[in-house]
Amino acid sequence: MARIKKGDQVIVISGKDKGKTGRVLKVLPGAERVIVEGVQRVTKHTKVGQSSQGARTGGIETVEAPIHASNVMLVDPKTKKRTRVGFRVEEGQRPDGRKRTVRVRYAKKSGEDL
């Protein structure tokens, strides 16, 4: 189970954007990187072309670049500070009556589920 998932609120702990917070837009598990909203913005030059409606596309735009997953930490929903992620195994019941175990992520600082 992943420590950081899409939609999580994270804070950058190192790099040029240290201290910024944002929501995770995409997780790239193979490269161990995440794309965070408003963090690690770079300028991208796109080739000028025409869309099907006749509008011209292209030019210079700013986009979010991937940042290494070790450079971000989750934000605790209770204290609004950075926290480590823990996993807890809980038992539940299936609709057919059988038991099942579920791994739940929780914030180590406050103990609240994520």
Side-chain angles (χ1 to χ4, degrees):
M1 182 176 240
R3 293 187 188 282
I4 298 174
K5 293 184 175 182
K6 180 180 176 180
D8 285 344
Q9 188 74 22
V10 294
I11 186 167
V12 180
I13 59 172
S14 67
K16 68 176 187 175
D17 293 319
K18 182 178 178 176
K20 286 187 180 178
T21 60
R23 200 155 292 284
V24 176
L25 300 174
K26 190 174 184 180
V27 178
L28 308 168
E32 295 181 1
R33 293 182 175 268
V34 292
I35 297 176
V36 182
E37 185 178 35
V39 174
Q40 190 73 16
R41 295 185 62 87
V42 294
T43 56
K44 186 176 181 182
H45 297 261
T46 56
K47 193 172 182 180
V48 176
Q50 284 190 341
S51 65
S52 59
Q53 292 87 15
R56 296 182 70 78
T57 60
I60 301 171
E61 56 186 28
T62 58
V63 294
E64 287 94 359
I67 186 170
H68 200 272
S70 67
N71 294 335
V72 296
M73 285 183 85
L74 255 75
V75 174
D76 193 326
K78 198 173 196 178
T79 62
K80 304 295 183 208
K81 293 183 179 178
R82 66 187 195 175
T83 182
R84 292 184 179 180
V85 181
F87 294 97
R88 180 175 57 238
V89 178
E90 292 182 352
E91 289 195 13
Q93 289 255 327
R94 287 188 174 177
D96 59 359
R98 293 189 304 171
K99 287 185 180 178
R100 68 179 212 152
T101 58
V102 181
R103 289 179 70 197
V104 179
R105 294 184 312 153
Y106 71 96
K108 291 250 184 162
K109 271 201 175 140
S110 66
E112 198 159 314
D113 289 353
L114 297 172

